[in-house]
Amino acid sequence: SRSSPGLAAILLISVLSLLGLPPTVGFLGKVYLFSAAIDAGFVGLVIIALLNSALSAVYYLRLASVAFFADPSREVLAIPALSRRASGAVAAVAAVVLGIAGGPLVRITSDAIDQSASQAAPVAQRPEADTTSDDPVMPDGAPTPISRNVSQ
């Protein structure tokens, strides 16, 4: 972090989000995913996922600790372009902002889906196709424009 503190901070935020720690969007994602899996009766799968998350924490935190505590290598000098630094910063900020404001956004989206589903017209039943004719038929029973042109 001594040579690139901004990049180290971006890496740390990304790692925390991958681990699913609050206040990042990764935490919100894991909460919703694990809750849905438990509600569906997949408790064993959730236990396996939690163990996998704990195992991945060892790898991810080691990566972050190298970025912060290891001596900078003089052999490799990475100079990322400004666009890469900016996109990393935007992604890190988004991971934290969506982690904090994600709950209300999910509720708004869920309410909109529920409202649109309740206002949707019921799907009409498709009529049985006339299998005695070779002419194509539209779902409403009318002949297709192609069959009208061919039969005329």
Side-chain angles (χ1 to χ4, degrees):
S1 73
R2 283 173 248 154
S3 60
S4 297
L7 291 177
I10 290 169
L11 176 69
L12 179 64
I13 292 170
S14 301
V15 163
L16 294 177
S17 186
L18 284 171
L19 288 174
L21 295 178
T24 63
V25 72
F27 174 74
L28 188 67
K30 284 189 179 186
V31 165
Y32 282 114
L33 180 69
F34 293 164
S35 296
I38 289 172
D39 290 344
F42 296 110
V43 176
L45 187 61
V46 171
I47 291 170
I48 291 170
L50 287 170
L51 292 173
N52 189 33
S53 292
L55 184 63
S56 65
V58 174
Y59 171 74
Y60 291 140
L61 292 177
R62 184 171 178 342
L63 184 65
S65 70
V66 168
F68 277 92
F69 303 117
D71 291 328
S73 174
R74 296 193 188 273
E75 298 171 13
V76 178
L77 180 61
I79 304 174
L82 179 61
S83 61
R84 290 182 186 164
R85 286 179 188 255
S87 62
V90 167
V93 168
V96 173
V97 168
L98 289 174
I100 294 169
L105 290 175
V106 169
R107 279 191 294 280
I108 290 168
T109 305
S110 179
D111 292 345
I113 290 170
D114 292 343
Q115 185 179 14
S116 67
S118 66
Q119 293 177 353
V123 177
Q125 294 294 326
R126 186 175 179 172
E128 294 296 323
D130 181 14
T131 57
T132 60
S133 171
D134 290 337
D135 291 334
V137 178
M138 296 294 284
D140 62 357
T144 63
I146 296 173
S147 64
R148 284 187 215 136
N149 292 338
V150 171
S151 62
Q152 291 177 352

PDB file of all heavy atoms in Angstrom, residues 46-63:
ATOM      1  N   VAL A  46     -26.670 -24.360   2.112  1.00  0.00           N
ATOM      2  CA  VAL A  46     -26.258 -23.120   2.769  1.00  0.00           C
ATOM      3  C   VAL A  46     -25.065 -23.379   3.679  1.00  0.00           C
ATOM      4  O   VAL A  46     -24.114 -22.577   3.716  1.00  0.00           O
ATOM      5  CB  VAL A  46     -27.429 -22.489   3.547  1.00  0.00           C
ATOM      6  CG1 VAL A  46     -26.960 -21.325   4.399  1.00  0.00           C
ATOM      7  CG2 VAL A  46     -28.509 -22.034   2.588  1.00  0.00           C
ATOM      8  N   ILE A  47     -25.078 -24.504   4.379  1.00  0.00           N
ATOM      9  CA  ILE A  47     -23.944 -24.846   5.254  1.00  0.00           C
ATOM     10  C   ILE A  47     -22.677 -25.022   4.419  1.00  0.00           C
ATOM     11  O   ILE A  47     -21.604 -24.518   4.783  1.00  0.00           O
ATOM     12  CB  ILE A  47     -24.259 -26.099   6.080  1.00  0.00           C
ATOM     13  CG1 ILE A  47     -25.351 -25.774   7.108  1.00  0.00           C
ATOM     14  CG2 ILE A  47     -23.012 -26.632   6.776  1.00  0.00           C
ATOM     15  CD1 ILE A  47     -25.913 -26.981   7.819  1.00  0.00           C
ATOM     16  N   ILE A  48     -22.797 -25.697   3.288  1.00  0.00           N
ATOM     17  CA  ILE A  48     -21.643 -25.874   2.400  1.00  0.00           C
ATOM     18  C   ILE A  48     -21.157 -24.521   1.880  1.00  0.00           C
ATOM     19  O   ILE A  48     -19.953 -24.256   1.830  1.00  0.00           O
ATOM     20  CB  ILE A  48     -21.994 -26.820   1.241  1.00  0.00           C
ATOM     21  CG1 ILE A  48     -22.196 -28.235   1.773  1.00  0.00           C
ATOM     22  CG2 ILE A  48     -20.916 -26.808   0.165  1.00  0.00           C
ATOM     23  CD1 ILE A  48     -22.769 -29.206   0.755  1.00  0.00           C
ATOM     24  N   ALA A  49     -22.089 -23.648   1.514  1.00  0.00           N
ATOM     25  CA  ALA A  49     -21.718 -22.319   1.016  1.00  0.00           C
ATOM     26  C   ALA A  49     -21.026 -21.495   2.101  1.00  0.00           C
ATOM     27  O   ALA A  49     -20.065 -20.763   1.815  1.00  0.00           O
ATOM     28  CB  ALA A  49     -22.948 -21.589   0.494  1.00  0.00           C
ATOM     29  N   LEU A  50     -21.499 -21.603   3.332  1.00  0.00           N
ATOM     30  CA  LEU A  50     -20.854 -20.881   4.435  1.00  0.00           C
ATOM     31  C   LEU A  50     -19.438 -21.405   4.690  1.00  0.00           C
ATOM     32  O   LEU A  50     -18.516 -20.623   4.932  1.00  0.00           O
ATOM     33  CB  LEU A  50     -21.695 -20.975   5.700  1.00  0.00           C
ATOM     34  CG  LEU A  50     -22.974 -20.146   5.697  1.00  0.00           C
ATOM     35  CD1 LEU A  50     -23.840 -20.500   6.902  1.00  0.00           C
ATOM     36  CD2 LEU A  50     -22.658 -18.668   5.674  1.00  0.00           C
ATOM     37  N   LEU A  51     -19.272 -22.716   4.635  1.00  0.00           N
ATOM     38  CA  LEU A  51     -17.925 -23.284   4.786  1.00  0.00           C
ATOM     39  C   LEU A  51     -17.014 -22.845   3.645  1.00  0.00           C
ATOM     40  O   LEU A  51     -15.835 -22.535   3.860  1.00  0.00           O
ATOM     41  CB  LEU A  51     -18.000 -24.813   4.851  1.00  0.00           C
ATOM     42  CG  LEU A  51     -18.666 -25.388   6.103  1.00  0.00           C
ATOM     43  CD1 LEU A  51     -18.843 -26.892   5.965  1.00  0.00           C
ATOM     44  CD2 LEU A  51     -17.861 -25.040   7.339  1.00  0.00           C
ATOM     45  N   ASN A  52     -17.570 -22.789   2.441  1.00  0.00           N
ATOM     46  CA  ASN A  52     -16.800 -22.318   1.290  1.00  0.00           C
ATOM     47  C   ASN A  52     -16.412 -20.852   1.468  1.00  0.00           C
ATOM     48  O   ASN A  52     -15.287 -20.451   1.123  1.00  0.00           O
ATOM     49  CB  ASN A  52     -17.606 -22.517   0.009  1.00  0.00           C
ATOM     50  CG  ASN A  52     -16.795 -22.248  -1.222  1.00  0.00           C
ATOM     51  OD1 ASN A  52     -15.596 -22.500  -1.249  1.00  0.00           O
ATOM     52  ND2 ASN A  52     -17.440 -21.741  -2.252  1.00  0.00           N
ATOM     53  N   SER A  53     -17.307 -20.053   2.014  1.00  0.00           N
ATOM     54  CA  SER A  53     -16.997 -18.640   2.260  1.00  0.00           C
ATOM     55  C   SER A  53     -15.880 -18.500   3.291  1.00  0.00           C
ATOM     56  O   SER A  53     -15.001 -17.647   3.153  1.00  0.00           O
ATOM     57  CB  SER A  53     -18.239 -17.903   2.753  1.00  0.00           C
ATOM     58  OG  SER A  53     -19.197 -17.827   1.730  1.00  0.00           O
ATOM     59  N   ALA A  54     -15.922 -19.335   4.323  1.00  0.00           N
ATOM     60  CA  ALA A  54     -14.867 -19.285   5.340  1.00  0.00           C
ATOM     61  C   ALA A  54     -13.526 -19.695   4.751  1.00  0.00           C
ATOM     62  O   ALA A  54     -12.488 -19.090   5.051  1.00  0.00           O
ATOM     63  CB  ALA A  54     -15.229 -20.195   6.513  1.00  0.00           C
ATOM     64  N   LEU A  55     -13.536 -20.702   3.899  1.00  0.00           N
ATOM     65  CA  LEU A  55     -12.301 -21.142   3.256  1.00  0.00           C
ATOM     66  C   LEU A  55     -11.761 -20.068   2.314  1.00  0.00           C
ATOM     67  O   LEU A  55     -10.556 -19.805   2.291  1.00  0.00           O
ATOM     68  CB  LEU A  55     -12.548 -22.445   2.491  1.00  0.00           C
ATOM     69  CG  LEU A  55     -11.342 -23.095   1.843  1.00  0.00           C
ATOM     70  CD1 LEU A  55     -10.334 -23.511   2.907  1.00  0.00           C
ATOM     71  CD2 LEU A  55     -11.779 -24.311   1.039  1.00  0.00           C
ATOM     72  N   SER A  56     -12.646 -19.433   1.576  1.00  0.00           N
ATOM     73  CA  SER A  56     -12.192 -18.386   0.663  1.00  0.00           C
ATOM     74  C   SER A  56     -11.682 -17.165   1.422  1.00  0.00           C
ATOM     75  O   SER A  56     -10.848 -16.418   0.912  1.00  0.00           O
ATOM     76  CB  SER A  56     -13.297 -17.998  -0.308  1.00  0.00           C
ATOM     77  OG  SER A  56     -14.374 -17.413   0.366  1.00  0.00           O
ATOM     78  N   ALA A  57     -12.157 -16.956   2.644  1.00  0.00           N
ATOM     79  CA  ALA A  57     -11.693 -15.820   3.448  1.00  0.00           C
ATOM     80  C   ALA A  57     -10.196 -15.919   3.706  1.00  0.00           C
ATOM     81  O   ALA A  57      -9.490 -14.903   3.701  1.00  0.00           O
ATOM     82  CB  ALA A  57     -12.456 -15.757   4.764  1.00  0.00           C
ATOM     83  N   VAL A  58      -9.708 -17.128   3.909  1.00  0.00           N
ATOM     84  CA  VAL A  58      -8.275 -17.314   4.143  1.00  0.00           C
ATOM     85  C   VAL A  58      -7.485 -16.812   2.938  1.00  0.00           C
ATOM     86  O   VAL A  58      -6.509 -16.066   3.076  1.00  0.00           O
ATOM     87  CB  VAL A  58      -7.962 -18.801   4.424  1.00  0.00           C
ATOM     88  CG1 VAL A  58      -6.467 -19.040   4.515  1.00  0.00           C
ATOM     89  CG2 VAL A  58      -8.661 -19.266   5.683  1.00  0.00           C
ATOM     90  N   TYR A  59      -7.915 -17.197   1.753  1.00  0.00           N
ATOM     91  CA  TYR A  59      -7.208 -16.787   0.536  1.00  0.00           C
ATOM     92  C   TYR A  59      -7.327 -15.276   0.318  1.00  0.00           C
ATOM     93  O   TYR A  59      -6.340 -14.598   0.058  1.00  0.00           O
ATOM     94  CB  TYR A  59      -7.764 -17.543  -0.670  1.00  0.00           C
ATOM     95  CG  TYR A  59      -7.249 -17.031  -1.979  1.00  0.00           C
ATOM     96  CD1 TYR A  59      -5.951 -17.296  -2.386  1.00  0.00           C
ATOM     97  CD2 TYR A  59      -8.043 -16.239  -2.801  1.00  0.00           C
ATOM     98  CE1 TYR A  59      -5.463 -16.811  -3.574  1.00  0.00           C
ATOM     99  CE2 TYR A  59      -7.568 -15.752  -4.002  1.00  0.00           C
ATOM    100  CZ  TYR A  59      -6.284 -16.041  -4.379  1.00  0.00           C
ATOM    101  OH  TYR A  59      -5.798 -15.549  -5.549  1.00  0.00           O
ATOM    102  N   TYR A  60      -8.552 -14.758   0.401  1.00  0.00           N
ATOM    103  CA  TYR A  60      -8.767 -13.340   0.118  1.00  0.00           C
ATOM    104  C   TYR A  60      -8.059 -12.434   1.111  1.00  0.00           C
ATOM    105  O   TYR A  60      -7.464 -11.413   0.733  1.00  0.00           O
ATOM    106  CB  TYR A  60     -10.264 -13.013   0.110  1.00  0.00           C
ATOM    107  CG  TYR A  60     -11.025 -13.613  -1.045  1.00  0.00           C
ATOM    108  CD1 TYR A  60     -12.288 -14.151  -0.847  1.00  0.00           C
ATOM    109  CD2 TYR A  60     -10.511 -13.636  -2.329  1.00  0.00           C
ATOM    110  CE1 TYR A  60     -13.012 -14.692  -1.894  1.00  0.00           C
ATOM    111  CE2 TYR A  60     -11.220 -14.180  -3.377  1.00  0.00           C
ATOM    112  CZ  TYR A  60     -12.465 -14.701  -3.157  1.00  0.00           C
ATOM    113  OH  TYR A  60     -13.175 -15.233  -4.186  1.00  0.00           O
ATOM    114  N   LEU A  61      -8.110 -12.770   2.381  1.00  0.00           N
ATOM    115  CA  LEU A  61      -7.463 -11.916   3.381  1.00  0.00           C
ATOM    116  C   LEU A  61      -5.943 -11.982   3.279  1.00  0.00           C
ATOM    117  O   LEU A  61      -5.260 -11.007   3.568  1.00  0.00           O
ATOM    118  CB  LEU A  61      -7.951 -12.277   4.778  1.00  0.00           C
ATOM    119  CG  LEU A  61      -9.421 -11.946   5.030  1.00  0.00           C
ATOM    120  CD1 LEU A  61      -9.845 -12.407   6.412  1.00  0.00           C
ATOM    121  CD2 LEU A  61      -9.689 -10.466   4.843  1.00  0.00           C
ATOM    122  N   ARG A  62      -5.440 -13.115   2.854  1.00  0.00           N
ATOM    123  CA  ARG A  62      -3.988 -13.206   2.618  1.00  0.00           C
ATOM    124  C   ARG A  62      -3.579 -12.290   1.483  1.00  0.00           C
ATOM    125  O   ARG A  62      -2.565 -11.606   1.542  1.00  0.00           O
ATOM    126  CB  ARG A  62      -3.597 -14.654   2.324  1.00  0.00           C
ATOM    127  CG  ARG A  62      -2.122 -14.877   2.159  1.00  0.00           C
ATOM    128  CD  ARG A  62      -1.843 -16.373   2.084  1.00  0.00           C
ATOM    129  NE  ARG A  62      -0.634 -16.988   1.894  1.00  0.00           N
ATOM    130  CZ  ARG A  62       0.536 -16.582   1.436  1.00  0.00           C
ATOM    131  NH1 ARG A  62       0.715 -15.510   1.120  1.00  0.00           N
ATOM    132  NH2 ARG A  62       1.592 -17.252   1.286  1.00  0.00           N
ATOM    133  N   LEU A  63      -4.387 -12.251   0.449  1.00  0.00           N
ATOM    134  CA  LEU A  63      -4.135 -11.370  -0.682  1.00  0.00           C
ATOM    135  C   LEU A  63      -4.147  -9.908  -0.245  1.00  0.00           C
ATOM    136  O   LEU A  63      -3.256  -9.127  -0.600  1.00  0.00           O
ATOM    137  CB  LEU A  63      -5.201 -11.611  -1.756  1.00  0.00           C
ATOM    138  CG  LEU A  63      -5.085 -10.877  -3.066  1.00  0.00           C
ATOM    139  CD1 LEU A  63      -3.845 -11.309  -3.815  1.00  0.00           C
ATOM    140  CD2 LEU A  63      -6.317 -11.130  -3.906  1.00  0.00           C
TER     141      LEU A  63
END
